Amino acid sequence: MFRNNYDSDTTTFSPQGRLFQVEYAQAAVGQGSIVVGAVSKSHAVLVALKRQAEELSSYQKKIIQIDSHLGIALSGLAADARVLSNFMKQQSMASHMTYDRPISIADISVRLCDRAQTHTQHAGSRPYGVGLLIAGVDGKGPHLFEFQPSGDAQEMVAASIGARSQAARTFLEDQVKEFESMDEATLITYTLRALIRSQPEDKVLSYDNTSIGVVGLEKSFKLLEGEEILEHVKRAYRLEGRAPEEYSENADEGGSME
Amino acid sequence: MNHLPQAWGRPRDDVYGPYNNSYLQTSGPSQHTQSPIVTGTSVLAIKFKDGVVIAADNLASYGSLARFTDVKRLLRFNSRAVIGFGGDVSDMQYLTRLLSSLEINENYSVTSSTELAANNLHTYLHKVMYKRRSDFNPLWNQILIAGLDVADNPYLASVDLLGTTFSSPTLATGFGAHLAVPIMRRVCPDEEAAKELTQEQAVETVRECMKVLFYRDARSLDKYSIAVVTKEGVDLKHGEKLEKQSWAFAEGIRGYGTQVN
């Protein structure tokens, strides 16, 4: 069996200059269910497809509010994301406590990266196995950052991470110039359409398996779930040219897609 | 017998054994500042409709000695905040260094979203002062923060060595809290009045108060700094002289000083 001599910890480079543990962590991000995000000049939106571990369980939590101006969507190890979200909540509160101002999105992303990066340089710890989309509004307007376990965060116009996210990215790339001028509802619809495109024909978005997080210049972060997302999803299906009746209230088969 | 001078008058070692020093403490409790040394006196500030005026004289006293006469006690933090320090001058210098490093971090940071406004700065200084007093090692100052808040409204607030904070359209530290505040309140009794006050009126009131303080406060100077913070930025002038002084009133003072009756 093939054995990789350079992947036992993150302190050893391979002769090709790769850190395999970091790459494996990034592979874990690719295994998670898909999340999509986009920004206009007034809003930032996150949408996510939630998995149900088993028929009797609840759906996983994909979007976490950090502060009134900021939220994240995760793909990968949910436990790692929970820990990172606690860290982000602490940083956010520290900014309120020390300066009486909401933390900037770039600032909290950099702090998150600093923390993640240390796990790529020390033996005996593993990188975080989760990727995040960080969406929020600060003094410089709405922002979207894509965070990777390598300790890298990139500001994006639109982004998607997780299983089958390539199809969503292809759709987003086609619209890249349109996002800036979109209003809230349109932005949500487009991100949902990217989500729909990433899924096979028989996989239907339902109010059980879809979450939407939205934040705007004049609007604090809001997590939409259940009935609240129905109109948005219906409109997205309509624009995708799929019959609205295919999307119905009892189309709630939310089980795992693999 | 030991004939060395340091042993004179002491119990003899050959009779009583060597002296046991162990009860003497080699390290005591840590000592913190228990009083200010070189001090600055009053800082005055008043809000008006477009901003805030703040002033402080240029004297640093060593007790009752007028030791330094060119000390700048107003610090421009950025284009929307000025800080005035009363109390210990060395602690003021420490805070100045602390604030410079904060300002540099803010200005060179790619990630900070907006310039720190006066209210952000006030919260920060409050945390610094309260931390230090809770360590039983206070920074011996009373500080006024004057400028514009996040929403570009005039902002004026105080924090002292105990970490106590309060805010008012007129504020003064030290002697000014007794002598200048009543005068400033005549012009600007409340927030509504501050919204009506013009810059000229506010500056004139502050200059008048600086004059009254020079008449009455023996630790004050006729040379002072004055700053006006508005949306246009900070207009900070050092080394202003008190004009049109009139000491005629001094003739009428009876009961202390050289004229006892």
Side-chain angles (χ1 to χ4, degrees):
Chain A
M1 195 185 122
F2 171 72
R3 170 150 167 76
N4 190 336
N5 287 316
Y6 298 97
D7 70 351
S8 54
D9 63 55
T10 53
T11 61
T12 311
F13 278 107
S14 82
Q16 285 76 40
R18 297 163 62 179
L19 290 170
F20 284 105
Q21 281 297 329
V22 174
E23 290 182 22
Y24 300 159
Q26 269 158 339
V29 177
Q31 304 275 333
S33 67
I34 183 172
V35 294
V36 183
V39 271
S40 71
K41 62 176 183 292
S42 59
H43 289 83
V45 164
L46 299 170
V47 301
L49 187 69
K50 296 186 285 186
R51 279 186 192 148
Q52 196 181 21
E54 51 177 298
E55 204 53 38
L56 295 172
S57 78
S58 62
Y59 287 83
Q60 63 178 150
K61 197 171 174 179
K62 292 290 281 181
I63 298 179
I64 303 171
Q65 178 171 354
I66 302 296
D67 198 342
S68 59
H69 70 297
L70 166 67
I72 58 171
L74 60 107
S75 176
L77 299 184
D80 285 13
R82 199 181 56 76
V83 168
L84 286 178
S85 76
N86 286 340
F87 169 75
M88 291 175 79
K89 284 172 188 173
Q90 279 170 11
Q91 292 298 313
S92 193
M93 286 316 296
S95 179
H96 283 292
M97 287 291 288
T98 321
Y99 300 106
D100 185 27
R101 71 171 172 185
I103 195 163
S104 88
I105 313 305
D107 201 1
I108 199 168
S109 302
V110 166
R111 288 173 197 216
L112 192 64
C113 287
D114 288 349
R115 196 177 158 98
Q117 193 277 339
T118 59
H119 292 277
T120 70
Q121 220 175 2
H122 294 284
S125 72
R126 64 165 176 82
Y128 290 106
V130 71
L132 303 176
L133 295 182
I134 304 161
V137 168
D138 61 26
K140 287 183 180 157
H143 298 279
L144 174 70
F145 282 84
E146 180 184 323
F147 162 82
Q148 290 289 341
S150 54
D152 181 49
Q154 204 77 42
E155 176 145 28
M156 309 293 274
V157 171
S160 176
I161 53 175
R164 302 168 174 275
S165 58
Q166 185 52 55
R169 270 197 300 281
T170 308
F171 173 77
L172 295 171
E173 280 161 14
D174 292 340
Q175 321 291 331
V176 67
K177 290 204 171 59
E178 321 294 329
F179 289 116
E180 193 185 352
S181 56
M182 285 183 190
D183 62 18
E184 180 186 336
T186 318
L187 199 62
I188 293 175
T189 314
Y190 270 79
T191 46
L192 281 173
R193 285 177 67 187
L195 201 63
I196 292 168
R197 296 254 179 143
S198 74
Q199 298 304 308
E201 282 285 318
D202 59 337
K203 174 73 185 176
V204 180
L205 300 190
S206 76
Y207 60 81
D208 281 328
N209 68 11
T210 311
S211 309
I212 302 173
V214 58
V215 60
L217 291 176
E218 311 288 324
K219 175 187 175 122
S220 21
F221 191 88
K222 191 161 191 306
L223 183 60
L224 307 176
E225 280 184 323
E227 302 285 337
E228 294 170 298
I229 67 160
L230 275 177
E231 282 310 307
H232 294 298
V233 176
K234 278 182 186 163
R235 190 179 321 114
Y237 271 113
R238 203 159 50 241
L239 288 167
E240 280 298 292
R242 284 165 71 169
E245 50 271 20
E246 184 188 344
Y247 182 78
S248 64
E249 252 75 329
N250 41 13
D252 60 347
E253 41 124 311
S256 118
M257 344 165 258
E258 280 96 337
Chain B
M1 184 140 166
N2 185 355
H3 296 284
L4 294 171
Q6 59 265 38
W8 294 354
R10 291 187 164 277
R12 283 169 57 177
D13 286 359
D14 56 338
V15 176
Y16 299 101
Y19 190 73
N20 180 8
N21 290 300
S22 65
Y23 82 95
L24 292 168
Q25 289 182 1
T26 50
S27 62
S30 60
Q31 304 262 307
H32 292 317
T33 312
Q34 297 299 312
S35 59
I37 310 294
V38 178
T39 57
T41 180
S42 320
V43 184
L44 314 179
I46 185 166
K47 277 203 237 180
F48 62 94
K49 61 183 166 110
D50 308 313
V52 191
V53 188
I54 182 168
D57 71 27
N58 294 337
L59 180 67
S61 307
Y62 180 69
S64 59
L65 173 72
R67 182 65 184 82
F68 305 104
T69 55
D70 57 352
V71 175
K72 291 165 182 166
R73 297 196 291 124
L74 295 188
L75 172 72
R76 178 194 187 276
F77 180 74
N78 55 23
S79 67
R80 52 199 295 161
V82 170
I83 302 156
F85 298 90
D88 193 90
V89 170
S90 61
D91 286 351
M92 172 187 88
Q93 290 169 340
Y94 166 77
L95 281 166
T96 305
R97 285 196 294 278
L98 188 72
L99 289 167
S100 319
S101 77
L102 175 68
E103 189 187 10
I104 289 167
N105 279 340
E106 281 289 313
N107 289 339
Y108 280 87
S109 160
V110 201
T111 57
S112 76
S113 58
T114 40
E115 200 175 37
L116 279 172
N119 63 313
N120 303 134
L121 201 57
H122 178 246
T123 306
Y124 176 71
L125 283 169
H126 169 224
K127 301 294 159 180
V128 171
M129 299 300 270
Y130 181 69
K131 166 73 167 65
R132 289 295 295 261
R133 86 100 212 206
S134 301
D135 291 345
F136 280 81
N137 188 19
L139 292 163
W140 219 281
N141 299 102
Q142 189 174 354
I143 302 169
L144 298 189
I145 296 104
L148 302 175
D149 68 10
V150 176
D152 271 347
N153 295 316
Y155 181 89
L156 174 59
S158 154
V159 58
D160 68 10
L161 70 166
L162 302 173
T164 316
T165 62
F166 45 88
S167 184
S168 163
T170 62
L171 280 177
T173 75
F175 228 101
H178 303 96
L179 292 185
V181 162
I183 302 171
M184 292 194 290
R185 280 189 187 162
R186 279 212 297 261
V187 182
C188 183
D190 50 27
E191 291 287 351
E192 280 65 46
K195 288 195 181 77
E196 301 296 313
L197 204 65
T198 65
Q199 179 173 332
E200 291 70 29
Q201 285 172 310
V203 170
E204 185 48 44
T205 308
V206 166
R207 287 190 196 276
E208 197 57 35
C209 288
M210 291 305 289
K211 201 191 302 186
V212 170
L213 282 167
F214 182 60
Y215 289 153
R216 298 284 179 177
D217 178 1
R219 311 282 173 265
S220 69
L221 197 67
D222 55 354
K223 213 168 74 186
Y224 61 99
S225 307
I226 186 164
V228 180
V229 194
T230 58
K231 278 180 202 163
E232 277 69 54
V234 173
D235 179 22
L236 174 57
K237 286 178 289 206
H238 292 297
E240 294 281 292
K241 292 286 287 181
L242 279 184
E243 283 164 1
K244 295 193 218 107
Q245 290 178 44
S246 165
W247 289 84
F249 73 93
E251 295 288 321
I253 292 176
R254 289 292 178 272
Y256 61 89
T258 51
Q259 301 136 322
V260 284
N261 45 45

